[in-house]
Amino acid sequence: MQPISMRLLNQQLVSPQFKSPGELLSYMCAMQAQEYRMMRWAVAMRTRNPSAKAFKNAFDSGEIIRLHLMRGTWQLVAAEDYWPLIELCSPKAIAVTKGWMNSNKIYISEEEVANIREVLIRTADDKGSATKDDFAKALMQRNIHMDDHRLSYHIRLAEMSGVLCSGELLPTKATYSLTANKIKTRRNPWDRDETLMLLARKYFRSRQPATLEDFVWWSGLNIGDCRRGIALLGSYLHTERWKGRVFYLTDDCRTRGFRKGQYLLIPPYDEYLISYKSRDLVLSPDFKHKAHNNSGIFQPIIACDGIICGNWAPLREELQTEFFLGEHGSEVLKQWHRYIRFRNQALTS
């Protein structure tokens, strides 16, 4: 088994198979979208011809949606998966978020949730795409004064309850729309087993080879649900043992299309690392601090043949790198130019 090249291929980081952001998100199921600007590159670099315009079109039309969901963090999902993921993941995500609130000594009553949510709904409906500032102004007009942190929790709870989702894509500010105005009405509630099977299939197909522990971490679900999803897939999944770990793979795992000497400029919070609980397969423990800290802050990273070897600065005008493994070649500059073409397009679209 060649786990690193297989991950690169199945994560669409080399030899990508998909043309559009919508196709890619449907395949990946959910992608971390912590950084509002850099989430665009995380998606685009996995498509055949990275296009900022294509990303904006998919985002604005509601083909792809950004919201707080898995693990209570920002995710991008395909519209087709929105309702089943909300039904499956939101109870745990809301519980996690309320735990964070308690640790920050923030208590929000159900009565407050209902009152504030009414304002959020009216504002989002009136504006079409409302910013956080729009919500704050609407509350002030009703003589409701609320600090930024508390308002963030109200918005997050509304997202995880299926009330608000992403609005129009702006350069730097997130916007929110009424889910009812952006996404088709849900069908009858999904069967739980059906959704667990969908989640497990999409996760292992796009992140393989991966372990049960990786799936539990990524999904934010309990281990029983994750085992159930795997079991429901039956013979579609098989296991292989590699260096003492048991990995799951699908019968249609991609194994061809990798070539040596490839560099990747990977954005912060990318699925290449955040999809897995154990990251030492591609990131030496000696350099873990170069990629992320213990508080969950992830940095922009460089990979050579899938091994994390350095950092880069995506918002600079010139290529700026810092390598902690080896030295870069001309391929890095080629990847920088590919990224800059995308970034320049994003500024004008």
Side-chain angles (χ1 to χ4, degrees), residues 24 55 168:
L24 187 276
F55 183 93
E168 180 186 0

Side-chain angles (χ1 to χ4, degrees), residues 83-84 87-88 185-195:
W83 284 118
E87 291 170 8
L88 179 66
T185 305
R186 76 171 87 190
R187 65 173 211 182
N188 294 331
W190 278 59
D191 176 80
R192 186 175 179 80
D193 277 357
E194 184 180 6
T195 307

